[in-house]
Amino acid sequence: MRFPTLFLTCSILVAGAFGAAAQSPQQATRTPDQDSREIRDIVEGAARNDAGWRKQADDYVRGEQRPTFGNRAHASDRAIRLLEAVDERCRRGDCQTGRQAVGTASVAQSPAQEVARIGKTNVCSAYPIEAVGVRRWTVPAGSMAFDFQPRGVRPSAGAIPIIPGDTRLIGGPRGERYVEDYVLTGDSLLDVRGFKTAVPPGRLRVILLGSIEQRRQASRLPFGPIIEVNGRILEVLGVAPNRWLQRGMLTSADRAEATAGADLLSGVAPAIVFEADGDRGQLTLGFPTGVEVGAVIIEPSDQPSSFLLDSAAPNAVASDTTCLREQEKIDRALAKLPSGRPTTVRTPTVESGPRPPTPTPLSPS
């Protein structure tokens, strides 16, 4: 069975050497009592169907201020803890329910079901990653690297230049050149809205890179809120640049040489890594909001990645297996609760509160 929703990879790399990410004072001093108070506040807001409780739940499940941020297994564990607390509170029978559209009708949406949906979205959303700048990089055999850049600029060694007007490109009417020494991320194209290219058959890994300028611009959504991958929606986690996962870097087959200090540069660019199936020999990426793109690297998913990620972030690198496992954990937990039982379809009503978008599967079922 194919993975039913979208996913992404992310991880941590310390500049110059790999190691554990530093915790902020807020992360290091967080206590179980604080978590319990946060859960209690969300549960009471859910029971009243307050306008902001869904965002509070989303923030809690995401765990942005926790040392385990980026660990999808911990995110699903937080979702389960929260939905169990919501279910226990709502057994009294005084919880207000929301509505969910089902065709032309709607169904009652219990708060626990809503928490489960929020959790399942979080465990498979894209996490922006800090990409460390490098001076040298060799395109691995079997991989394709597309360097998005203005006219008249020499592309990175082995990369295919993508300039304004390229037939594979939608948007991208102008480019910017920032720093010459940076492989792939020292220049870019602006307002890119789509890119399509022929790809080999099989499961692919796609590495999307921005530019080093985006970190300085403090762009919260460097690739927009969603990316369309072969017509399906891939959600992107909206976090500030100081919460992008640390870190990843382009690396050659000789990883010891690639991680040497002489090859590493100051400054970072945003990156996203995900897997996708070639759609009849094509990969089509869409950026509805128009974004800045430095490069796209496409490679078989079963070969070592060109983008080296720190092993200090367990379960951060998502795959079909990882995301399906975390979503199934949430589904199993919900099914054990009274709130997990089917609800009755009723006549259409107005949605009782804002809901985050439900992700569309990245891979066909």
Side-chain angles (χ1 to χ4, degrees), residues 249-266:
M249 62 174 290
L250 292 170
T251 182
S252 60
D254 186 347
R255 296 195 168 186
E257 179 182 351
T259 57
D263 195 43
L264 300 180
L265 300 169
S266 61

Side-chain angles (χ1 to χ4, degrees), residues 141-330:
S143 299
M144 298 183 293
F146 299 91
D147 193 352
F148 289 57
Q149 57 188 181
R151 292 185 178 88
V153 177
R154 178 181 297 178
S156 295
I160 302 167
I162 301 295
I163 61 174
D166 192 291
T167 57
R168 291 163 287 199
L169 190 66
I170 299 175
R174 65 185 183 91
E176 290 286 351
R177 184 181 185 184
Y178 302 116
V179 183
E180 184 176 0
D181 289 343
Y182 285 67
V183 171
L184 298 178
T185 61
D187 51 37
S188 66
L189 288 183
L190 307 180
D191 197 26
V192 174
R193 296 186 174 269
F195 177 69
K196 182 176 181 179
T197 185
V199 293
R203 193 71 175 164
L204 304 171
R205 182 187 304 113
V206 181
I207 303 163
L208 176 63
L209 296 168
S211 79
I212 59 167
E213 185 65 20
Q214 288 171 290
R215 181 65 171 82
R216 290 192 286 266
Q217 292 171 344
S219 175
R220 188 174 181 85
L221 290 167
F223 302 112
I226 64 168
I227 300 172
E228 296 171 355
V229 182
N230 288 341
R232 298 179 176 88
I233 300 300
L234 176 67
E235 294 187 36
V236 181
L237 204 65
V239 294
N242 64 351
R243 297 303 302 153
W244 295 350
L245 293 183
Q246 303 173 12
R247 308 182 181 179
M249 62 174 290
L250 292 170
T251 182
S252 60
D254 186 347
R255 296 195 168 186
E257 179 182 351
T259 57
D263 195 43
L264 300 180
L265 300 169
S266 61
V268 296
I272 282 178
V273 186
F274 58 93
E275 293 181 359
D277 289 320
D279 187 1
R280 294 182 293 277
Q282 297 282 339
L283 177 69
T284 304
L285 305 179
F287 309 98
T289 60
V291 300
E292 183 173 2
V293 178
V296 174
I297 301 168
I298 303 170
E299 53 194 21
S301 64
D302 58 358
Q303 77 177 33
S305 178
S306 300
F307 196 61
L308 183 61
L309 300 169
D310 190 328
S311 60
N315 300 317
V317 178
S319 64
D320 286 9
T321 302
T322 301
C323 282
L324 183 59
R325 180 178 66 237
E326 299 310 321
Q327 290 198 327
E328 286 183 338
K329 281 169 55 178
I330 296 171

Side-chain angles (χ1 to χ4, degrees), residues 72-74 76-77 80 324-334:
R72 299 173 193 276
H74 283 265
S76 64
D77 289 344
I80 291 169
L324 183 59
R325 180 178 66 237
E326 299 310 321
Q327 290 198 327
E328 286 183 338
K329 281 169 55 178
I330 296 171
D331 281 336
R332 287 196 299 270
L334 180 64

Side-chain angles (χ1 to χ4, degrees), residues 78 84 96 119 134 139 144 164 178 213 283 285 346 350 361:
R78 286 191 293 272
E84 288 175 343
Q96 297 185 37
V134 296
V139 181
M144 298 183 293
Y178 302 116
E213 185 65 20
L283 177 69
L285 305 179
R346 301 184 180 181
V350 177

Side-chain angles (χ1 to χ4, degrees), residues 7-91:
F7 52 86
L8 267 190
T9 75
C10 25
S11 191
I12 301 174
L13 168 70
V14 179
F18 280 42
Q23 296 179 10
S24 70
Q26 184 177 5
Q27 291 174 322
T29 59
R30 191 169 191 91
T31 67
D33 285 345
Q34 288 175 301
D35 281 356
S36 296
R37 287 194 297 270
E38 188 173 357
I39 289 175
R40 185 168 59 248
D41 290 344
I42 297 169
V43 167
E44 290 306 313
R48 297 187 300 267
N49 199 23
D50 291 347
W53 83 264
R54 291 171 178 81
K55 183 180 186 305
Q56 288 179 296
D58 187 54
D59 290 343
Y60 172 74
V61 172
R62 177 186 302 181
E64 190 174 335
Q65 301 303 322
R66 291 167 172 78
T68 56
F69 175 62
N71 186 318
R72 299 173 193 276
H74 283 265
S76 64
D77 289 344
R78 286 191 293 272
I80 291 169
R81 184 181 177 191
L82 182 57
L83 71 87
E84 288 175 343
V86 167
D87 178 79
E88 183 177 0
R89 169 66 174 80
C90 291
R91 289 179 191 178

